[in-house]
Amino acid sequence: MISPPAPVMHPESIERHVKASETAATQLLPKCPLAKEFQQARDHHPILASTGCTKDFCQAGRALHTDEPRIGENRAIAVVEKEAQGFLEELHREHFFATNEAFTNRLNGVLAEIRSNACEGAIRENRQQGIVGGNWEQTPAELEFGIRRAWRNARKCIMRSHSDELKLCDMRNITTSAEMASELLQHMCEAFNGGNVIPTVFLFPPRRVNSRGPMIWNHQVLEFAGYEMGDGSILGDPVSVELTRAIVELGWTPPSPRTRWDLLPLVVMAEGDVPAMVEVPSPLRDVVNIRHPRYGDEFQKLDLRWVSVPALTRLGFDIGGMQYTAAPFIGWFMDAEIGVRDLADTFRYNVLPDVARALGLLNGKDGDMVEDLEDLPEYERLAVLSRAQTELTFAVHWSYQQAKVSMSDTLTSSMKWCRYDDEFKAKNGFRLPADPYWLAPPQGSIVPVWHRGGAPNYQPKPMISKHVQDPLKAWEREKPENFVAAKHRIVAKARHKRPALQARSTTSNDIPSARINHQVRDAPDLKDQIPSKLSINALRTALEIDHAAIDGHRLSMSVYFCSAGTFAEKTAVKLRSRLSDLSRSVPGISVCSGISPLNQLNPSTVGSSELILAIVSSTGQGEVPTNGCQFIQTCDKMPEGEIKVPRTSFRYAIYGNGDSRYSATYNGAALIVEQRFRKLGGLAFADGLYHGDSAIHTTALQALRPWWAKLQPAIQDLATDSPKLKRRHSDEAGHGHLFEPASYQVEAKSRFRLRSQQLLDGFQKANIVVMSPSLRQGYQGTHQVTLDVNDRLYEDLSCIQLLPINSPAKVRRALRALGVNASDVMSLDMPDTTSLSHSSFLTEYIDLEAPFQELDWLALLPPATTRTTNQDLLKSQPSLDSLEHLHTAGCLPADDTITQSICLALPLLHPRTYSVASSLTYTSPPAVKQLRSKSSAATHNHLDILVKPYPQGRFSHAFLAGPAPAPLRYRLLPSSASTLLTMPPTTPLIIVATGAGFAPVRCLLQRRVAASQASSSASAQHSSISLFLGLKPADIPLLSDILNEAAAEGLMNSMSIISSNEEKVRVYDKLVEEATREKVRTAVEGGGWVFVCTNPEAAKGTRAAFEEVLGERGVDAMGERWIEEIF
């Protein structure tokens, strides 16, 4: 039966039918829960690059996507204009331009520049001829924003929480290959910063239209060579084989013999120039030897090492339509990059089988060692490889710590990324781009980021991109037919001195005129980041009790943290846990539900009943970490003259996590945050700022204990008797004195307590029991000083920090000038020093040799006195002289409050660091033993130091050369020389020391003499020591006893002493003499170690002498066997 034909439908009916079907189908599909987030990301990033995925084919499982954007090709003028406009709009959203008019003017100027520089060329999108968008010149400030935003958008990088710390080294004016090579290495040495790496991008000129742009051959600045051997095997890094071959063809001569750890020279290629080649300078050539604290001998035999820092060179930046094809950047490694990938990958160094064999992991079921890893069953092989990988990664991290080179671990990096991404989503409503293939940790599910999932994989611009061309192939195409490597190639030389730098303006309309807009090594002056003083009207307040607010009062406590790492966050978690426990036993307090980054603290919503507790770590050169910068900026936006001091003030307490060994920037971030809290009208609680010291407290639990001991009783007291404190403006604002004495006393006491904490933490008392008589006779040579450290045990070759207190005579002068009695008690509200007298205060805490650092206390003196006082003089001469000057001029009134305020403004003592020059295992010669026994109990431990006096030196002159010194405080710290304690006892040792640098050498010799004398075997084997000393003639008797003892015990192979001479012969000159150099070379090639303890100039000369004897790379090849301690 034939069916009737279907009815013919009108086109409009068909359209309605299709729309209805689509609507019905859409209603049947589940709604994407992330649609809103995706739309917010698209709204925020109008220009998105391809990730290579389609709706039918996802490339998430690929390391490299097939359609990823590249730099190095022409783009149509419309594309360049769109990307430039999008970049400027992003700058405008971030308040980069002061007004809409400024943004419009900048946009119009940029578009005009792009059009004026446009020309015809082949366009990437369609491979057809067309109008190519021209370049436009970005200001340094725009460029720095661009590189930071590109790093934040790098979906393959887990370290992006540091993107706002990225520095720009602007070298866009460099156009030759030779300059590129030398300048890059020079500035990279500065960014390396002695191991405390400053993340920096070194930016060369952008690519021009129809050109490839400047390029760098190496994959990284620091890269090991890879040699293809005759049998097809690879010596070195397999990924570098092609590069190594090309560099050899360019004229490089590999070292002889070749090793698997030969650093390649750097080869760069400017636009339109032939390649330039330069050897990597010594500061960057120092590789890190991979050792293990539990498997020392096993890892030493493996002889594993790696370069100190990553510095990627074949990636560029795509910023606002501009393509920067040569923009290497330096950062730091994550331990798994080396331990799991670089050293362990089967297509790289493939060392896991060797590690497993060295650690004795290749055991079969019967306990016998199998010959090969492949002989094990697969499940056993996986277990063995996993164990080897874990131990190798641990060894990598431990080794970089010992070498004092920046490194992150996988767990910390994962936690920081998760926190950073969560904070971004909370602020913006969508997550940052993330490629799970790259962010997923190799350790698997034990790392938190493994379980995140759901991270969007999109690519905004600005972005970091690969070049479309391979630099080696580009050179093959460009190389002239008659090019002869030895004749035409350029060998660049790295500069040892750089010219003075000009400061760069970073305004939005600045066009680059200088090369560089920052100097990476200079530590910023923290005083420039801290407001010098608040407005008079804001600070002229008095405290009074608001009794009406007591009823129903409840103290609310919130915990914030600010850190580039995880230390502050971990401490904050532990603190909140303790607060929660406390709140269950103490009525009247409540605790926040969780911890928050400091950026989430809104100053305008802080209530009077709130206690803000903050843990603040410093980053870089004492700077505030990224998750606290927004809070600082919010506070700084309030003009000081218009600060709205709340009717009732909040309270705050801060734990500063710093390292006292870096005194210039110690707790710099905490000081900045504390100043902003005060600016907002906050009142210091429990001493305000507690100076934590990571040199002593290395874990969150250790850090929290002493601070909690202060916090807990203070919180309990506040909860049980907590009237609100409110500030009222003084009726005398703007008239008479600047500060109310009572108000200034509260702030001054708090300031003294927080600053004096570092003088108490970890320091113990010691007495001087032996001191060279020549110290008081004006002799300028080196002196021995012996300290009685009571029953304290100390490690050989460690360092000691000393706090030299003031002499009784100078304290009496200060007491007389201040008009106070020595026994009068100061009211400091310090639980540990409740009965601190003026005499003790001036003796043990104050540096009377240092000038006043701040003069706010002058506001407490009569106005006539303030007008006639020379403030520059007060800030330049010793504070004791200033006190006596003011006393003689009758400027110090007999007012206890003013006197104590002046006392609290006096400069505090700062520690001096020396090397320990004695060993506890050493038995003193009889004469010295008899002298010591008269000075102190024989059971007390003694510690020697060698001191070189300096004119007006605080310790060597003011303290030691004066009357009989009083007791001082000290604490012990580790030293780089302690590595010598791990040296095998029979290994040859060459020592070069000058002046007071003999101190650790003396300690080592005492240790060796004591071990030799204690040995029961007459034929005990000891290492032979070759000693090269540079001494003043009068110093030799100071050292002769231990030198003679060491020689008598057979410890000395040879000894050369060079005293001061008119011919300017230096101690290191002996190393290159014909009679010595062969012995030095034989000792080093036989596995010998070298210890250099000199001043910087002598250390440089010593290294040069060894390189002359051993060859240019001889010192670098020694690795950990070369130890320097520079004073």
Side-chain angles (χ1 to χ4, degrees), residues 72-76 80 119-125 129-130 132-133 207-211 323:
E73 293 183 305
N74 292 336
R75 295 171 184 169
V80 177
C119 62
E120 187 174 350
I123 296 175
R124 178 183 67 87
E125 286 82 359
Q129 290 293 115
V132 179
R207 167 189 175 272
R208 296 196 299 264
V209 175
N210 295 326
S211 302
Q323 303 176 50

Short mmCIF file of all heavy atoms in Angstrom, two decimals, residues 72-76 80 119-125 129-130 132-133 207-211 323:
data_model
loop_
_atom_site.label_atom_id
_atom_site.label_comp_id
_atom_site.label_asym_id
_atom_site.label_seq_id
_atom_site.Cartn_x
_atom_site.Cartn_y
_atom_site.Cartn_z
N GLY A 72 56.62 34.72 16.61
CA GLY A 72 57.59 34.68 15.53
C GLY A 72 56.98 34.77 14.15
O GLY A 72 57.70 34.59 13.17
N GLU A 73 55.66 35.06 14.05
CA GLU A 73 55.01 35.16 12.75
C GLU A 73 54.21 36.45 12.66
O GLU A 73 53.81 37.03 13.68
CB GLU A 73 54.06 33.97 12.52
CG GLU A 73 54.79 32.64 12.39
CD GLU A 73 53.82 31.50 12.09
OE1 GLU A 73 52.87 31.32 12.87
OE2 GLU A 73 54.03 30.81 11.10
N ASN A 74 53.97 36.89 11.41
CA ASN A 74 53.20 38.12 11.18
C ASN A 74 51.74 37.93 11.56
O ASN A 74 51.19 36.83 11.43
CB ASN A 74 53.28 38.54 9.70
CG ASN A 74 54.67 38.99 9.31
OD1 ASN A 74 55.45 39.43 10.16
ND2 ASN A 74 54.98 38.90 8.02
N ARG A 75 51.11 39.02 11.99
CA ARG A 75 49.69 39.01 12.29
C ARG A 75 49.03 40.19 11.58
O ARG A 75 49.64 41.26 11.46
CB ARG A 75 49.44 39.11 13.80
CG ARG A 75 49.95 37.90 14.57
CD ARG A 75 49.91 38.11 16.06
NE ARG A 75 50.49 36.97 16.78
CZ ARG A 75 50.78 36.98 18.06
NH1 ARG A 75 50.56 38.06 18.79
NH2 ARG A 75 51.31 35.91 18.63
N ALA A 76 47.80 39.97 11.17
CA ALA A 76 47.07 41.02 10.46
C ALA A 76 46.93 42.25 11.35
O ALA A 76 46.89 42.16 12.58
CB ALA A 76 45.69 40.51 10.04
N VAL A 80 46.48 42.70 15.61
CA VAL A 80 47.40 43.42 16.49
C VAL A 80 46.67 44.55 17.20
O VAL A 80 46.87 44.77 18.41
CB VAL A 80 48.60 43.95 15.68
CG1 VAL A 80 49.53 44.78 16.58
CG2 VAL A 80 49.37 42.80 15.04
N CYS A 119 53.10 47.27 7.52
CA CYS A 119 53.63 47.10 6.17
C CYS A 119 53.08 45.79 5.59
O CYS A 119 52.41 45.02 6.28
CB CYS A 119 55.15 47.08 6.17
SG CYS A 119 55.87 45.73 7.12
N GLU A 120 53.39 45.53 4.35
CA GLU A 120 52.85 44.34 3.69
C GLU A 120 53.71 43.13 4.02
O GLU A 120 54.93 43.20 4.16
CB GLU A 120 52.81 44.55 2.18
CG GLU A 120 52.11 43.43 1.42
CD GLU A 120 51.94 43.74 -0.05
OE1 GLU A 120 52.20 44.89 -0.44
OE2 GLU A 120 51.56 42.82 -0.80
N GLY A 121 53.06 41.96 4.16
CA GLY A 121 53.78 40.74 4.44
C GLY A 121 52.85 39.56 4.47
O GLY A 121 51.62 39.70 4.33
N ALA A 122 53.42 38.36 4.63
CA ALA A 122 52.62 37.14 4.71
C ALA A 122 52.02 37.03 6.10
O ALA A 122 52.74 37.09 7.11
CB ALA A 122 53.49 35.92 4.40
N ILE A 123 50.70 36.85 6.16
CA ILE A 123 49.98 36.85 7.44
C ILE A 123 49.78 35.41 7.90
O ILE A 123 49.43 34.52 7.10
CB ILE A 123 48.64 37.59 7.30
CG1 ILE A 123 48.90 39.06 6.96
CG2 ILE A 123 47.82 37.49 8.57
CD1 ILE A 123 47.66 39.86 6.67
N ARG A 124 49.99 35.18 9.19
CA ARG A 124 49.95 33.84 9.75
C ARG A 124 48.59 33.18 9.56
O ARG A 124 48.50 31.99 9.24
CB ARG A 124 50.28 33.89 11.24
CG ARG A 124 50.22 32.54 11.93
CD ARG A 124 50.49 32.68 13.42
NE ARG A 124 49.44 33.40 14.09
CZ ARG A 124 48.33 32.82 14.58
NH1 ARG A 124 48.16 31.53 14.44
NH2 ARG A 124 47.40 33.53 15.18
N GLU A 125 47.50 33.95 9.77
CA GLU A 125 46.18 33.33 9.81
C GLU A 125 45.82 32.63 8.50
O GLU A 125 45.23 31.55 8.52
CB GLU A 125 45.11 34.39 10.15
CG GLU A 125 45.10 34.83 11.60
CD GLU A 125 46.17 35.90 11.88
OE1 GLU A 125 46.90 36.26 10.94
OE2 GLU A 125 46.28 36.33 13.04
N GLN A 129 49.31 37.27 1.45
CA GLN A 129 49.88 38.60 1.60
C GLN A 129 48.81 39.56 2.09
O GLN A 129 47.64 39.48 1.72
CB GLN A 129 50.45 39.09 0.26
CG GLN A 129 51.71 38.35 -0.19
CD GLN A 129 52.89 38.62 0.72
OE1 GLN A 129 53.39 37.72 1.38
NE2 GLN A 129 53.33 39.86 0.75
N GLY A 130 49.20 40.47 2.95
CA GLY A 130 48.27 41.45 3.48
C GLY A 130 49.00 42.49 4.30
O GLY A 130 50.23 42.53 4.36
N VAL A 132 50.34 43.86 7.55
CA VAL A 132 50.76 43.30 8.85
C VAL A 132 50.82 44.42 9.88
O VAL A 132 51.35 45.50 9.60
CB VAL A 132 52.14 42.62 8.73
CG1 VAL A 132 52.59 42.06 10.07
CG2 VAL A 132 52.09 41.53 7.68
N GLY A 133 50.25 44.16 11.06
CA GLY A 133 50.28 45.17 12.12
C GLY A 133 51.69 45.48 12.58
O GLY A 133 52.51 44.58 12.76
N ARG A 207 60.26 41.28 18.28
CA ARG A 207 60.41 40.89 16.87
C ARG A 207 59.86 41.98 15.96
O ARG A 207 58.80 42.56 16.22
CB ARG A 207 59.65 39.59 16.65
CG ARG A 207 59.46 39.20 15.20
CD ARG A 207 58.51 38.04 15.06
NE ARG A 207 58.25 37.75 13.67
CZ ARG A 207 57.29 38.32 12.95
NH1 ARG A 207 56.49 39.21 13.51
NH2 ARG A 207 57.12 38.00 11.67
N ARG A 208 60.57 42.28 14.89
CA ARG A 208 60.08 43.23 13.90
C ARG A 208 59.24 42.51 12.84
O ARG A 208 59.36 41.29 12.66
CB ARG A 208 61.25 43.96 13.22
CG ARG A 208 62.08 44.82 14.17
CD ARG A 208 62.96 45.80 13.38
NE ARG A 208 63.89 45.10 12.51
CZ ARG A 208 65.14 44.83 12.83
NH1 ARG A 208 65.61 45.18 14.02
NH2 ARG A 208 65.94 44.20 11.97
N VAL A 209 58.42 43.25 12.15
CA VAL A 209 57.58 42.68 11.10
C VAL A 209 58.47 42.02 10.04
O VAL A 209 59.52 42.54 9.68
CB VAL A 209 56.71 43.77 10.47
CG1 VAL A 209 55.92 43.21 9.29
CG2 VAL A 209 55.77 44.37 11.51
N ASN A 210 58.04 40.84 9.58
CA ASN A 210 58.74 40.07 8.54
C ASN A 210 60.12 39.58 8.99
O ASN A 210 60.99 39.34 8.15
CB ASN A 210 58.89 40.91 7.25
CG ASN A 210 57.55 41.21 6.61
OD1 ASN A 210 56.62 40.40 6.68
ND2 ASN A 210 57.42 42.40 6.03
N SER A 211 60.34 39.47 10.28
CA SER A 211 61.63 39.01 10.80
C SER A 211 61.39 37.93 11.85
O SER A 211 60.28 37.76 12.36
CB SER A 211 62.41 40.17 11.43
OG SER A 211 62.61 41.20 10.49
N GLN A 323 55.54 40.75 20.18
CA GLN A 323 56.13 39.42 20.33
C GLN A 323 57.59 39.56 20.74
O GLN A 323 58.43 39.99 19.96
CB GLN A 323 56.03 38.66 19.00
CG GLN A 323 54.60 38.52 18.48
CD GLN A 323 54.56 37.86 17.12
OE1 GLN A 323 55.16 36.80 16.92
NE2 GLN A 323 53.87 38.48 16.17
#
